[in-house]
Amino acid sequence: MDFFRRLGSIRLSHPTLSGIWYAFLWMMIGALILSLLLQSGSLEEHNLTWPIYIVHAAALLFGGLTSGKRAGQKGWYQGALTGMLYGLLVLCISFLALDNSPGLNDFTLLLPALLIGALGGMFGVNLHKKR
C-alpha cells in the first residue's frame, strides 16, 4: 500500500522545476477563469490584453514564491531563473502555435518575467521553514 501512496505523490525536489510547474498550474487556472469570463460575455476579446498580463504576472509570482521556498536560500536567483525559463517556454509555445517569427518586442517581455520571478523568490525564501 505504501508503494501506491508514494507513486501517487510526485514531488519535484529541484526548486526551479517546482516553480515552473506551479507557475504553469496558476497560468492554466487563470486561463480557465478568463475563458469562463469570455464565455459568459462579461469580457470581450479586444479587452483581453491586460488580464492576460495579470494572469502571467500572478503565475510568475507564485512560481518564484514556490522556487524560493523550496530553495531556502538565494530566492532571488531561483525566482529569476524560474521567471526566465517560464518566459522562454511561453515565447516558444506562442511562436510554435502562432507560426510567426520572434521579434525584439517579444524578448523585451523576458525582463519583467525575470523581475517578477525574482520578487516572488525573495518572498518565498522568507516562507521557508528553518530546521
Side-chain angles (χ1 to χ4, degrees), residues 42-54:
S42 61
L43 190 63
E44 296 179 7
E45 285 186 35
H46 60 85
N47 295 334
L48 205 57
T49 305
W50 282 105
I52 289 174
Y53 285 144
I54 291 170

Side-chain angles (χ1 to χ4, degrees), residues 32-93:
L32 178 67
I33 291 170
L34 288 178
S35 301
L36 292 174
L37 288 174
L38 276 171
Q39 182 69 27
S40 70
S42 61
L43 190 63
E44 296 179 7
E45 285 186 35
H46 60 85
N47 295 334
L48 205 57
T49 305
W50 282 105
I52 289 174
Y53 285 144
I54 291 170
V55 165
H56 282 297
L60 282 163
L61 192 66
F62 283 119
L65 190 90
T66 302
S67 66
K69 183 178 177 182
R70 294 266 170 98
Q73 58 185 352
K74 295 185 183 177
W76 64 270
Y77 173 74
Q78 292 295 330
L81 189 60
T82 300
M84 181 61 79
L85 290 175
Y86 175 86
L88 285 173
L89 284 171
V90 167
L91 282 176
C92 287
I93 291 169

